[in-house]
């Protein structure tokens, strides 16, 4: 429940604060998709720090580079991933095993959030292939969520499916979108999101309202015996890569009641900044679906080669 999530993340936040967490300090999170992952993210935010998500499946060398480059003094992880960071010199906290220590933390007041403080730091590959950290502030994340919740027409009780790793901001739309509007987050297991039939069975059985996903991943999940069950009831958001008219046409045929949103935005601009809602028959003179218009609170510039 929301009460349990609030209480558990607050306990973790107080423990992190006792370890030195605070404003504009990055706390790394190396964790698989689970309830404890959401507790970890909220705990870091409540402590005043910025969370730094790292994928547990990353090569050890890249994981070590991110931890060293970010100077993260604390790493939140699971016990089974502890041996993946042998050279890390900071403090390691196992979210699934250290609650005796966590519960003994002082009950000091937690810091207030300010819009200019960092909310998270995300490492992208960059054009050179060398990872680089991108910092996003609370004000930027709040602005994105206000726009995203508005265009999705989100309401309390909606069910959101999360199928992306937290190390990619594509997954923030369903997680924070649900938490900001009183919705329910479905953190789907890896074996389900890689199997078309298992995925469709879950989506249909749990009556999921909203899904955000990469177009190529969706195409693979529509290859099962009941592709219509793989689609959400109310809103499908596509992002992370270009989509095709063929995919949009197929989705519209399988789920005519579902709104289809194409969302565009690099990590540096906070998840997404442009949206286009598919309407059958419109803009078909274009080679590909457009990326749309700016979300509220953002401005887009169309520039030529001279800037």
């Amino acid at each position: 429940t929301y009460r349990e999530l609030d209480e558990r993340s607050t306990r973790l936040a107080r423990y992190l604060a006792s370890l030195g967490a605070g404003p504009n300090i990055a706390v790394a999170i190396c964790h698989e998709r689970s309830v404890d992952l959401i507790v970890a993210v909220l705990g870091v935010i409540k402590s005043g720090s910025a969370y730094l998500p790292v994928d547990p499946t990353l090569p050890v060398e890249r994981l070590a580079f991110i931890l060293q480059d970010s100077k993260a003094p604390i790493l939140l992880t699971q016990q089974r991933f502890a041996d993946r960071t042998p050279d890390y010199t900071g403090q390691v906290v196992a979210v699934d095993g250290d609650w005796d220590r966590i519960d003994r933390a002082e009950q000091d007041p937690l810091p207030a959030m300010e819009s200019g403080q960092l909310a998270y730091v995300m490492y992208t590959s960059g054009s050179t292939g060398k990872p680089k950290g991108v910092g996003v502030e609370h004000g930027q994340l709040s602005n994105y969520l206000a726009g995203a919740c508005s265009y999705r027409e989100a309401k309390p009780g909606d069910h959101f499916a999360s199928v992306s790793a937290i190390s990619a901001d594509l997954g923030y739309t369903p997680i924070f979108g649900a938490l900001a509007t009183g919705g329910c987050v479905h953190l789907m297991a890896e074996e389900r999101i890689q199997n078309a039939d298992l995925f469709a069975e879950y989506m249909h059985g749990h009556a999921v309202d909203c899904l955000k996903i990469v177009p190529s991943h969706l195409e693979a999940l529509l290859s099962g015996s009941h592709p219509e069950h793989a689609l959400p009831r109310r809103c499908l958001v596509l992002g992370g890569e270009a989509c095709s008219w063929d995919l949009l046409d197929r989705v519209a045929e399988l789920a005519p009641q579902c709104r289809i949103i194409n969302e565009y935005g690099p990590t540096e601009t906070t998840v997404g900044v442009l949206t286009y809602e598919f309407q059958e028959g419109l803009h078909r003179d274009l080679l590909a679906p457009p990326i749309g218009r700016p979300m509220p609170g953002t401005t887009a510039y169309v520039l030529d080669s001279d800037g």
Side-chain angles (χ1 to χ4, degrees):
T1 65
Y2 273 89
R3 176 179 289 127
E4 290 170 318
L5 182 61
D6 181 42
E7 291 174 351
R8 196 169 174 85
S9 57
T10 297
R11 284 153 55 199
L12 177 59
R14 288 187 169 125
Y15 180 66
L16 293 175
S18 73
L19 297 181
N24 299 324
I25 293 174
V27 173
I29 301 177
C30 181
H31 208 291
E32 64 187 354
R33 200 165 42 248
S34 70
V35 171
D36 280 339
L37 172 62
I38 308 302
V39 171
V41 168
L42 294 182
V44 172
I45 289 175
K46 287 182 178 185
S47 76
S49 291
Y51 70 90
L52 166 64
V54 287
D55 191 334
T57 63
L58 282 177
V60 172
E61 295 78 13
R62 178 165 173 139
L63 182 57
F65 170 82
I66 292 174
L67 292 174
Q68 181 181 18
D69 187 67
S70 66
K71 299 179 175 62
I74 305 169
L75 170 63
L76 292 176
T77 189
Q78 292 164 272
Q79 290 174 315
R80 66 193 189 91
F81 294 135
D83 61 351
R84 301 212 71 233
T85 55
D87 298 326
Y88 179 65
T89 57
Q91 301 179 83
V92 179
V93 180
V95 187
D96 59 348
D98 286 338
W99 282 96
D100 284 344
R101 282 195 294 156
I102 293 168
D103 285 335
R104 290 198 298 269
E106 295 294 329
Q107 302 297 300
D108 295 330
L110 293 171
M113 297 295 107
E114 295 183 5
S115 64
Q117 287 177 214
L118 285 178
Y120 63 85
V121 177
M122 181 166 294
Y123 272 72
T124 64
S125 60
S127 57
T128 63
K130 184 178 180 180
K132 58 172 184 170
V134 175
V136 173
E137 299 170 355
H138 282 283
Q140 296 166 325
L141 180 59
S142 296
N143 185 73
Y144 168 74
L145 289 175
C149 292
S150 175
Y151 77 64
R152 286 201 315 275
E153 300 175 355
K155 60 183 187 298
D158 280 352
H159 289 249
F160 295 73
S162 171
V163 300
S164 301
I166 197 171
S167 55
D169 61 6
L170 187 91
Y172 295 179
T173 309
I175 292 175
F176 288 121
L179 297 179
T181 56
C184 174
V185 186
H186 293 259
L187 298 159
M188 298 178 70
E190 195 66 29
E191 56 267 23
R192 279 197 183 276
I193 66 175
Q194 300 300 332
N195 183 300
D197 287 328
L198 290 178
F199 180 81
E201 176 186 61
Y202 188 98
M203 290 284 288
H204 183 63
H206 290 81
V208 172
D209 295 294
C210 183
L211 169 69
K212 184 176 183 182
I213 193 168
V214 174
S216 57
H217 189 184
L218 179 63
E219 287 179 340
L221 293 173
L222 293 179
S223 64
S225 52
H226 291 285
E228 70 280 6
H229 291 170
L231 294 166
R233 297 193 304 171
R234 292 182 48 229
C235 184
L236 170 70
V237 184
L238 298 167
E241 63 187 32
C243 64
S244 68
W245 288 118
D246 288 344
L247 176 60
L248 298 189
D249 288 338
R250 184 157 189 234
V251 171
E253 181 182 355
L254 290 170
Q257 80 291 348
C258 181
R259 296 172 61 222
I260 310 169
I261 310 290
N262 189 29
E263 184 181 289
Y264 168 82
T267 299
E268 289 82 354
T269 59
T270 315
V271 188
V273 285
L274 297 166
T275 61
Y276 166 76
E277 182 166 357
F278 172 74
Q279 297 180 55
E280 209 162 354
L282 291 184
H283 305 110
R284 297 313 286 261
D285 55 322
L286 301 175
L287 292 176
I291 56 176
R293 296 180 177 276
M295 292 170 62
T298 64
T299 303
Y301 297 90
V302 182
L303 306 178
D304 62 14
S305 58
D306 295 320

